[in-house]
Amino acid sequence: MRTPSDSRLQRQSAKRPASDLLPSAALSEGTPGRILVTALRLFAQRGFHGTSVRALAAQCELQPGALYVHFPSKEHILAELARLGHEAQQTALRTALLEAGDDPAEQLVAVVKSNATLHATYPQLAIVVNEELYALPDELAGPALALRQQSSALLFDILHRGIETGRFQCRSALVTAAAIGAMGLRIPYFYEPWSGLEVAALAELQAELALRMVDCVHIARRT
């Protein structure tokens, strides 16, 4: 489903260099990397179903048959983008968690900030991955969905520990985790890099909101 923010994302994706579309660790060298970056631009602009293999190959300056040397199908390209996006999120969240110490509140702040930063920095990737993933058959979507489940479990575990230790006061870790996750997912739909709100400030605000959800607001300004 295309959204009111599409025209903004189209303009952004057209202007951004490849290094701003995919995390550096996800950038492949040579033709496969060029195909992924070009596909991400086109999927963000036209949608997965609105992008033909012929159009993608033309943008890559390849014959359609040459594209299949690197990816068996358009679905495999989307599957790789989805895997890369979820892998980047999983790595970022785990790194933030490991650096946060043992306090569930500090862990929640670190993880929410990391997630917000990722979604604000790579909005095209976030939207394409989350909106188009369900165009894939189960066997191709599986690796990305497994990574998504791990990231969701990481957040749930933080909330569960916080509730068990009395650090957090919320009725349901499951519902609160879903609300916090949805808050991060919405960032690409409203955030403008030139709006006067820096990414770090946006991440701080999201962390503060997450702490309010668990009734643990007193450390929000200390992080």
Side-chain angles (χ1 to χ4, degrees):
M1 180 180 68
R2 313 315 294 160
T3 70
S5 62
D6 286 345
S7 60
R8 172 174 60 82
L9 287 174
Q10 288 171 11
R11 292 193 300 270
Q12 288 185 20
S13 65
K15 296 176 182 177
R16 285 173 175 247
S19 58
D20 287 348
L21 290 173
L22 287 170
S24 57
L27 283 173
S28 303
E29 294 183 357
T31 302
R34 185 155 51 94
I35 292 171
L36 288 173
V37 169
T38 304
L40 180 57
R41 290 187 197 276
L42 291 177
F43 294 164
Q45 293 169 6
R46 308 176 185 180
F48 175 73
H49 292 296
T51 302
S52 67
V53 170
R54 184 174 297 277
L56 175 56
Q59 289 288 319
C60 294
E61 299 182 344
L62 295 171
Q63 293 296 320
L67 190 145
Y68 292 121
V69 172
H70 303 281
F71 295 96
S73 68
K74 187 176 70 167
E75 287 75 13
H76 282 80
I77 297 172
L78 176 59
E80 181 63 4
L81 286 170
R83 185 192 67 79
L84 291 172
H86 282 90
E87 190 173 75
Q89 181 190 40
Q90 173 74 342
T91 299
L93 297 187
R94 287 198 174 278
T95 299
L97 178 63
L98 290 172
E99 294 176 352
D102 297 328
D103 179 15
E106 299 285 0
Q107 292 175 348
L108 180 61
V109 166
V111 165
V112 170
K113 282 185 175 182
S114 179
N115 190 58
T117 299
L118 194 69
H119 280 77
T121 305
Y122 304 104
Q124 288 81 13
L125 180 62
I127 286 184
V128 167
V129 165
N130 284 291
E131 288 197 356
E132 307 288 8
L133 179 61
Y134 298 101
L136 296 177
D138 291 345
E139 63 271 17
L140 291 181
L145 290 174
L147 289 165
R148 178 184 292 184
Q149 186 174 20
Q150 292 172 29
S151 295
S152 297
L154 183 150
L155 176 58
F156 178 85
D157 288 346
I158 292 172
L159 294 174
H160 184 67
R161 285 196 302 273
I163 293 170
E164 280 196 330
T165 60
R167 197 74 169 92
F168 299 158
Q169 301 295 322
C170 58
R171 293 173 60 186
S172 170
L174 179 63
V175 172
T176 305
I180 292 173
M183 182 172 65
L185 284 175
R186 294 306 303 171
I187 289 174
Y189 295 91
F190 72 83
Y191 178 66
E192 300 275 7
W194 49 84
S195 64
L197 181 65
E198 299 290 337
V199 171
L202 171 66
E204 183 76 31
L205 286 170
Q206 290 239 325
E208 183 175 336
L209 287 169
L211 289 172
R212 291 180 182 275
M213 289 184 193
V214 298
D215 194 20
C216 188
V217 299
H218 59 284
I219 73 161
R221 294 296 183 188
R222 182 162 59 82
T223 57

